[in-house]
Amino acid sequence: MELEAEDTLENVERVQNAVATKQGYLDYSVQDWACWDDTCRFVEDQNQEYIDVDLQNETLAGIDVNLMLFVNESGGLVYAKSIDIETEEEVPVPAGLLELIEDGTLLTEEEDDEISGFVLLDEGPMFIACHPILSTKYEGPVRGTLIFGRYFDSGLLESFKELTCSSLLMYRVDEEMPLDFVNEYSSVTEVPGRIVVEPLNEERVAGYFELNDIAGGPALIIRADFPRDLYSHGKKTLDYMYFFLLLTGLLTGVGVKLALDRLFVSRLTEIDDFVTKVRAEKDLSKRLELKDNDELFRLSREINGMLNEIDLAEQELQTQEREKKVILDSLNELVVFVDPALNIIWANKAALEHMKMELEEAVGLSQRAAPGVSSQAFEHLHLEEAFVRGEKKAGELSAGDGTVWSIQAVPVTDDAGKIIGILETWRDITESKKAERLFQEKQIAEAANRTKSEFLANMSHELRTPLNSIIGFSDLLCEQVFGGLNEKQLKSVGNISKSGKHLLNLINDILDLSKVEAGKMELKYSEFGLASKLDSVKSLLAPLASRKNIEIKIDVDSELTSIRADEARFVQVLYNLLDNAIKFSNEKGLVRVEAKRKVEMVEIAVTDTGIGIEEKDQKKLFKPFSQVDSFASKKFQGTGLGLSLVKQIVQLHGGYVWFRSEAGEGSTFAFTLPIKGKKCTVSNDEVQEGEEKD
């Protein structure tokens, strides 16, 4: 193994030398072009003669480079040419390479600066060589940077194969790699320049090594594999030695037998008969009894001990088989094992129940003729291809009864790598597919809701401008600025102003709600006195309360002086709740506003003695454009947005809303806010509809 590893390392080093030679050629070429007076003049004046004479497609193909990039000393791209070496036709310059120039990764600043290595582009990995542009005498100042690039493509890889007489595979580290590359990746990159040698199979051995990018990080993993000649020769030598030892043993045995035949033949015959009988009857409980304390007696004792161990091992094996069967039978998935002839060898309990047969009936049955989803899976997965290619097959199958199955077939091999069967598993994913469809429908509904919110917000802005004009001009008419109006005209103009203001409030509520739903409402926190703010809201609604002879009482906990919240939104919440309480209260009723401290929160409750809410209507609360019933919507003016806005604003503060109500007994609506509110506060509470807060 050591000789094989050393030989593989030498072969891999030849591959590395070939890659390094290619990189060295690119470095030499870019240096030769960069240190040239004509190149210096070109980056300064971009003369056409240089392009016509030196930058033809055939020139790039002749020096075996895909692209040339000329960058001036300010980092600006002066000229770029990229070709396909095979066809000698121009192709676009990779965008990823231009980005590396813009961020300065590929630019040189000093006379001794050189950049060499790989870059991983969307078009493929590329050799890169960058050199400062100097005079023919290799003198500064630096006029810019000349960049040469050569794709590490399949053609170049094939040339390395022919040059090194090896089989090469290359994968980028930023893309999916085969399993053996993934397994060796950490070992290769653990120590820079390390070569990892691993046998692939009996015939070939592989060496893995990395190629770094221009930043020194891993870019490519290359595997070079070679015939295991040393291994094969060593194995043949061992086989000859084993044969010689076996032959020597046989000859020695014959000699010993002839010499001692008379002394041991009868007892050996007895041992032979015993072993034959045990093998024929498969009865491991029998024991060999020999007399005399000699070698044959000790042999019989060893045979008896071996029988004990075999018996115990067989019992353990049977136990393991039973455990495996129990585990496989306990699975909800359907598991079936078929042989290369596509006949069923074994099936677990779930599969047998699905096929409605016993294991004895299923064994030997062709899967083509198996009932249920089994035969459909056979056709869907094309199992013959799995045997031919040795590849795992997987997919989803919709059965005739509407169920959806996730199915897969995994080839099972013996120690020699020969496929001896296929293990199939089928899992019913009908419910998960339904859940997936529901989730997609939910996303569509949420997107539609966001679109609705944006539409409402846009329409609200479009409507407010002309509506403000209507309200403003109607107010001017009411004030008789442009001349006197009679009583009937004043009443009509007053109705226009009143209706316009009502509609403007509705539009403002819609705009606020759409802002919240779109996540665009921002709270402007400030500290303000709680009692004075409650009194100011009371004053705003005093005319409405006086028309119904309703008394408003305010009770504030003495410990509460000020709170930190969005003052305007706090007034909006309290105004909505107090307005509803007055609106739905009876004549000469009482509305009570109470503010209490609860740890770090303030709880404000608005209680009325009005009509209350029936239990069947309570679920409509806090939903946009929803009122408890059609009668209420006709008797009491309202948009149905107030409580929805209350809930959204309170939750945005980090608080929650609750209520309790009984028909004919009045209602209590309450909300809590953090006393020292912050913008980062997040509420995990939901509105507890129809229940009293503890």
Side-chain angles (χ1 to χ4, degrees), residues 627-640:
Q627 292 183 327
V628 294
D629 56 35
S630 58
F631 174 75
S633 64
K634 293 177 182 177
K635 185 176 180 182
F636 304 102
Q637 286 188 347
T639 64

Side-chain angles (χ1 to χ4, degrees), residues 25 63 105 127 171 191 223 334 353 355 396 407 417 431 447 455 462 486 496 572 596 616 634 657 664 676 686:
Y25 168 76
I63 62 174
T105 303
F127 287 94
Y171 286 93
V191 179
R223 186 187 81 189
L334 281 59
E353 289 178 352
M355 294 187 292
E396 292 183 3
I407 56 179
E431 294 303 320
F455 172 75
E462 293 296 328
N486 59 39
I496 292 173
Q572 185 178 1
K596 294 185 285 188
K616 66 182 179 64
K634 293 177 182 177
V657 182
K676 297 179 179 180
E686 295 294 334

Side-chain angles (χ1 to χ4, degrees), residues 524-534 561-571 604 653 673 675:
K524 299 179 181 179
Y525 283 85
S526 63
E527 191 166 336
F528 56 87
L530 180 60
S532 61
K533 193 56 60 181
L534 295 179
T561 56
S562 63
I563 65 172
R564 179 175 172 78
D566 187 316
E567 186 175 350
R569 297 301 176 185
F570 175 83
V571 171
I604 300 174
H653 275 83
L673 295 178
I675 295 176

Side-chain angles (χ1 to χ4, degrees), residues 50-248:
Y50 186 90
I51 297 174
D52 295 338
V53 175
D54 299 310
L55 299 181
Q56 297 302 307
N57 295 359
E58 296 82 1
T59 306
L60 273 68
I63 62 174
D64 198 29
V65 295
N66 286 99
L67 60 85
M68 290 184 180
L69 303 177
F70 295 79
V71 184
N72 61 27
E73 58 185 344
S74 301
L77 183 62
V78 173
Y79 184 80
K81 179 177 283 290
S82 176
I83 69 163
D84 184 322
I85 291 179
E86 297 295 331
T87 62
E88 296 186 1
E89 294 180 356
E90 286 198 37
V91 295
V93 177
L97 206 58
L98 297 178
E99 293 176 0
L100 293 176
I101 294 175
E102 289 180 5
D103 63 21
T105 303
L106 299 181
L107 301 185
T108 60
E109 298 179 357
E110 304 294 336
E111 295 178 14
D112 296 330
D113 284 355
E114 291 184 1
I115 299 172
S116 178
F118 288 92
V119 292
L120 296 180
L121 305 174
D122 293 340
E123 293 80 0
M126 175 177 280
F127 287 94
I128 285 294
C130 309
H131 198 280
I133 297 175
L134 306 171
S135 69
T136 304
K137 296 180 179 181
Y138 296 87
E139 296 176 349
V142 175
R143 274 80 165 187
T145 303
L146 180 59
I147 303 168
F148 278 16
R150 173 62 164 92
Y151 282 113
F152 195 169
D153 52 20
S154 58
L156 191 57
L157 190 65
E158 286 297 325
S159 69
F160 289 156
K161 290 181 182 179
E162 294 176 4
L163 182 64
T164 60
C165 300
S166 60
S167 176
L168 300 178
L169 281 178
M170 175 185 71
Y171 286 93
R172 299 166 55 138
V173 300
D174 60 348
E175 294 181 351
E176 185 176 357
M177 297 184 289
L179 182 60
D180 65 312
F181 279 77
V182 175
N183 293 336
E184 303 303 335
Y185 174 71
S186 58
S187 300
V188 170
T189 57
E190 183 177 349
V191 179
R194 181 179 183 182
I195 301 173
V196 177
V197 178
E198 288 291 340
L200 293 178
N201 47 47
E202 292 288 329
E203 289 78 26
R204 301 192 72 81
V205 63
Y208 300 82
F209 65 95
E210 67 173 336
L211 295 176
N212 294 330
D213 59 19
I214 57 175
L220 303 170
I221 300 294
I222 296 181
R223 186 187 81 189
D225 55 278
F226 313 91
R228 301 185 68 181
D229 295 333
L230 291 176
Y231 175 80
S232 300
H233 294 325
K235 187 176 181 182
K236 288 180 181 179
T237 302
L238 287 176
D239 290 341
Y240 291 145
M241 291 179 61
Y242 292 149
F243 176 76
F244 175 76
L245 292 174
L246 179 61
L247 182 60
T248 303

Side-chain angles (χ1 to χ4, degrees), residues 449-459 514 518 520:
N449 188 53
R450 287 193 297 271
T451 303
K452 179 261 302 180
S453 297
E454 293 174 0
F455 172 75
L456 290 176
N458 291 333
M459 287 303 298
S514 63
K520 296 181 179 179

Side-chain angles (χ1 to χ4, degrees), residues 611-615 618 659-663 665-669 690:
I611 61 176
I613 306 169
E614 294 185 8
E615 186 175 354
Q618 292 179 2
F659 77 94
R660 64 170 179 268
S661 181
E662 292 184 15
E665 299 294 329
S667 305
T668 296
F669 284 81

